[in-house]
Amino acid sequence: MTIKEVQTTCCYCGSGCQLLFKTDTKANKILEVHPVQGRTNDDKACLKGWYGWDFLNDPQILTRRIRRPMIRRNGKGSPLEAVGWDEAVKFVAENLQKVKDKWGPDSIMGAASARGPGNESNYLMQKFFRAVLGTNNIDHCARICHAASVAGSRATIGEGAMSLSIPEIEDAEVIFNIGYNAAASHPIVARRIVRAKEKGAYIIVADPRVTETSRIGHLHLQLKGGTNLALTNSMAYVIINEGLSDTEFIKAHTRDFDEFKAIVQDYPPEKIGPIAELDPEDIKTAARKYAGSKHSVILWGMGVTQFSQGVDVVKSLCSLAMLTGNFGRPSTGTGPVRGQNNVQGTCDMGVLPDVFPGYQSVADPQMREKFARAWGVKSLPDSPGLQLTRVPERVVHEKDPAKRIHAYYIFGEDPAQSDPDLAELRETLARIDFVVCQDIFMNKTTQFADAILPATSWGEHDGVYTSSDRGFQRIRKVIEPVGDIKDDWEIICLLSTAMGYPMKYKNTEAIWNEMIDLSPKFTGATYEKMERQGSVQWPCYDKGAHDRGTMYLHQGGHFATPDGIGLFKTAHYHPPAEVENSEFPFTLCTVREVGHYSARTMTGNCRTLRNLEDEPGWVEMSPRDCRTLGVSDGDLVKIISKRGAVISRCKMTERVKTGAVYMTYQWWVGACNELTISCLDPTSRTPEYKYCAAKIEKIDDQKWAWHEVDTVYSRLRTEMGVPEKAVIQ
Ligand SMILES: Nc1nc2c(c(=O)[nH]1)N[C@H]1C(S)=C(S)[C@@H](COP(=O)(O)OP(=O)(O)OC[C@H]3O[C@@H](n4cnc5c(=O)[nH]c(N)nc54)[C@H](O)[C@@H]3O)O[C@H]1N2
Ligand SMILES: Nc1nc2c(c(=O)[nH]1)N[C@H]1C(S)=C(S)[C@@H](COP(=O)(O)OP(=O)(O)OC[C@H]3O[C@@H](n4cnc5c(=O)[nH]c(N)nc54)[C@H](O)[C@@H]3O)O[C@H]1N2
Ligand code: SF4
Ligand SMILES: [Mo]
């Protein structure tokens, strides 16, 4: 047996934990995995770091790895046939060209991947879209995630990323944790919050549920879902009217304070208490504590961004930090803690409709010229492209065929599981002329694919991920890929070459070097520096060893806006789009659980994680609601919204308020996105996943219901092509 040790970065959340793999190279098998020292994780990992790599063994529990390219040679309705790479690449290139010739470049949409592939493949994906296809219609899951944080932060403080680093959290004196359940979503970040508490920090948690994170807190603001802006405006009211604001900071570093002040004057705690279902005294305590330190940190997540008013809340949070002078020093500032392992990186690479790599605007003629010259093309498209949440609008709801999306290249995302209002999404995918999926697993979206391009997975290729706190870290090949599959970046090169724009790179480092030379903020972050330091946080401008990167942003109150001045902004609160009513009396909110991850192709195929939890998931309900409906813990119930219905298990818990129910979006049978609403924030176009109206029905015949669940589960597995019984038990 030849044993090899390889260190790599975890492929799940943005905490960026470092893992050491021991493999038997002869047998091409992983023998052992354990966390090792890293900048963000010390030497710790959560259960997904320890057990979340088993999908590499392809045990075929929920779905299976794709091992060969597949195409529907005779068009929609014909079967998927396994083919060689030459034929698959030719098929995709010809079909994309056909759509481009007939309907123009903007009739093609691309979704890239914040998961396994890494920064280099994403850089090439946006280059392919812009330079070869000629459109800015390229986006990724940040849209349905932290896009509101990017938009709201850039409008106020000029930079969309976390201003501080994960390790700095533990030296904060006050942590205001809003709409963020770190204990389930980023356990390694939660550990820093616990450490801060141990060191004496005061922890405030604003969440309508009792969570493992709220249990860390000293003060739990158990607000009504959807009332964040009422709360944050009210906190600003208290800070201003009690003379707790940092007037010197405001004068020296900000603008538009008066407009901000005028809006928040409508939000006295006594008036907001009943709206947000909070004790006015608790709002005052939160405001006083937050304003009482120069090491106050705000951490937020999806409970802020996944609302139709998400951008406004982000602006108000950045304004709270400016109001109290909480920027520009260690252990202070704002933390939109990015979700996926490489969602920060996929944004960094310009996989967004409005920016090139390094956040350089596509609307800026100088930037277009720079990239056009570097990429050897005459010109690049100048108008910002389409956001991926608007694809249904441009397919199902678009009357004019000339304005429709006719081709969709989906690379490492599963919209048919993770986008809102799945019935509408399925109709959208079915109506698009040509759909390409590039993935490692068969998923719900591949069923709609006209061509499937199989890629190597994390663990089977090299590259760089960006952790939530702007840290570039290497990922490394651990085992050899099995099957006729290729690295994502190689697949994009083949397609590009077939479409008349030859792309050739020796390895991921060659791609990385091209990218950093075009992106001033990243120029200093060479592979060599990452190797030496372990992690390089951007901005890092200079390749020299003296530039080690940047731990925190906005040093000395100098913001990332063009003139360095921060802008105060907020808005008036309004309720979510679809509120509870007599027909649908419950509010449905959709969240995460610790052991499973996003669309679950990966954790659903890890034996230990599958054994912890399986279909059809759970719906959290208050004991009072359970009594009223006559259902018990563990019963299957039907959850219904205007858009669909699903079956899931009732989890009776004191942790949720009466009238509010919660599902996690990990389940394929109990798929909550059958129910969610596709209402979007007008600026960030992020869906309101956290709030819609629903009703719950008791199911009298539980035996029938279990049979139904089993039938759907088995049908789904058959559609994925997995055998009746898992291959490896
Ligand atoms: N109801 C509800 N829905 C939600 C949310 C919610 O809170 N509620 N949250 C939303 C959020 S924040 C997000 S980020 C999205 C996530 O939604 P998705 O991005 O759709 O989910 P993932 O499971 O991350 O799916 C990624 C896909 O990438 C594939 N993949 C993994 N590694 C590789 C690789 O190396 N190469 C290739 N080619 N493919 C790979 C996986 O097999 C999988 O099919 O879900 C959103 N959906
Ligand atoms: N185990 C696991 N970890 C993950 C993921 C996963 O799927 N599984 N996904 C990753 C991804 S893509 C992301 S983006 C992150 C997201 O991580 P989080 O932001 O923690 O995600 P959620 O659990 O969706 O939402 C956070 C909290 O918001 C609360 N909330 C709901 N409505 C409101 C409201 O009106 N106001 C306030 N203040 N709070 C509200 C919910 O009760 C929930 O506890 O997690 C990442 N980590
Ligand atoms: S905290 Fe996130 S990065 Fe760390 S081991 Fe868990 S899933 Fe992986
Ligand atoms: Mo996310």
Side-chain angles (χ1 to χ4, degrees), residues 115-117 141 144-145 302 306 340 411-414 418 438-441 443 455-458 461 488 590 592 598-602 665 672-673 676 689-690:
R115 298 302 312 286
C141 71
I144 50 183
C145 182
M302 298 299 101
Q306 290 177 337
Q340 309 256 51
F411 156 37
E413 288 210 358
D414 191 3
S418 54
Q438 179 168 321
D439 210 287
I440 57 174
F441 278 106
N443 63 21
T456 56
S457 160
W458 165 86
H461 58 230
D488 285 299
T590 59
R592 293 165 164 71
S598 286
R600 214 168 106 258
T601 52
M602 290 146 89
Y665 77 107
C672 66
N673 280 325
T676 49
Y689 285 121
K690 292 286 182 272

Side-chain angles (χ1 to χ4, degrees), residues 9-17 40 46 48-49 114-115 166 180 182 184-190 337-344 465-468 473 592 594 596-598 603:
T9 308
C10 176
C11 65
Y12 291 106
C13 86
S15 299
C17 298
T40 57
C46 80
K48 293 184 293 305
R115 298 302 312 286
I166 291 167
Y180 175 46
S185 310
H186 296 110
I188 287 304
V189 175
V337 193
R338 306 301 293 262
Q340 309 256 51
N341 60 299
N342 196 37
V343 64
Q344 183 60 57
Y465 291 167
T466 318
S467 62
S468 287
Q473 305 189 120
R592 293 165 164 71
V594 70
H596 281 286
Y597 197 90
S598 286
T603 54

